[in-house]
Amino acid sequence: MKKNILLCGVGGQGTVLASKLIASAAMAMNQPVRSAETIGMAQRGGSVTSHVRIGEDIFSPLIPEGTADIIMAFEPGEAVRNLKYLKKEGVVVVNSIPVKPVTESLKDTGYDGKKEIEYLEKKCRKVIVVDAMDMCRELGSAKFFNVAILGVAVGTGETGLEIEPVEKEIRDRVPERFADVNIDAFRKGLKLGQRSSKR
């Protein structure tokens, strides 16, 4: 197996945890993994990009442009910013809810993520748009979206990950009192990803 998975969002969305779950689940499947994060003022809502590369003969943790099998985008503007990494037949899973930058609060630019979603749908073979608020409403908090979007990505089959090792890593890495709700979030996303892969 050889997979390049890119995750992008802004600080506080749980991008790094999702990348660690991917990497550890792949290692549990006896796959070599290399990963790296690029974080720009993450605590202030800056860009966060995580590269996860799975498989043999991978010598750099950074994904070369045009080779990512899947982009998991926690924010539509970040999806567009990182689109150069996606391979021609790759898949984008993107949150439709934008995180407005500080400049938006100072001057109303009208940013709502809709143009970015339209751009992605024009440029990409397959785009799965996920509403984080809607998906996580039953779970009680949008904070579980990072695990839900991971479920969507795994459900598409593009990550090459098996369900059982991912669920084990979730139980091992999140606080025990939140384990069950995170598993619920993952499975909810998984179903959406599986349905999308059949279209």
Side-chain angles (χ1 to χ4, degrees), residues 2-7 33-39 48-54 57-69 82 84-86:
K2 186 175 281 191
K3 294 288 181 180
N4 288 327
I5 303 165
L6 188 129
L7 302 86
V33 178
R34 293 188 182 274
S35 66
E37 282 92 31
T38 56
I39 300 174
V48 178
T49 306
S50 295
H51 298 242
V52 183
R53 308 190 70 196
I54 304 169
D57 300 324
I58 292 173
F59 304 106
S60 167
L62 297 178
I63 298 170
E65 292 183 9
T67 65
D69 296 282
N82 288 281
K84 62 186 178 183
Y85 290 104
L86 190 70

Side-chain angles (χ1 to χ4, degrees), residues 146-158:
N146 60 337
V147 178
I149 194 173
L150 173 57
V152 178
V154 172
T156 67
E158 297 295 329

Side-chain angles (χ1 to χ4, degrees), residues 134-141 143-152 163 166-168 170-171 174 176-193 195:
D134 184 59
M135 174 171 269
C136 296
R137 188 170 287 116
E138 293 175 15
L139 303 169
S141 173
K143 290 183 178 180
F144 303 113
F145 182 68
N146 60 337
V147 178
I149 194 173
L150 173 57
V152 178
I163 297 169
V166 177
E167 291 194 350
K168 182 180 183 304
I170 292 170
R171 290 201 179 277
V174 303
E176 187 176 351
R177 67 185 186 277
F178 297 124
D180 287 341
V181 69
N182 274 280
I183 293 293
D184 288 345
F186 174 74
R187 290 177 179 173
K188 191 168 185 165
L190 189 70
K191 289 178 183 176
L192 175 60
R195 287 197 302 271

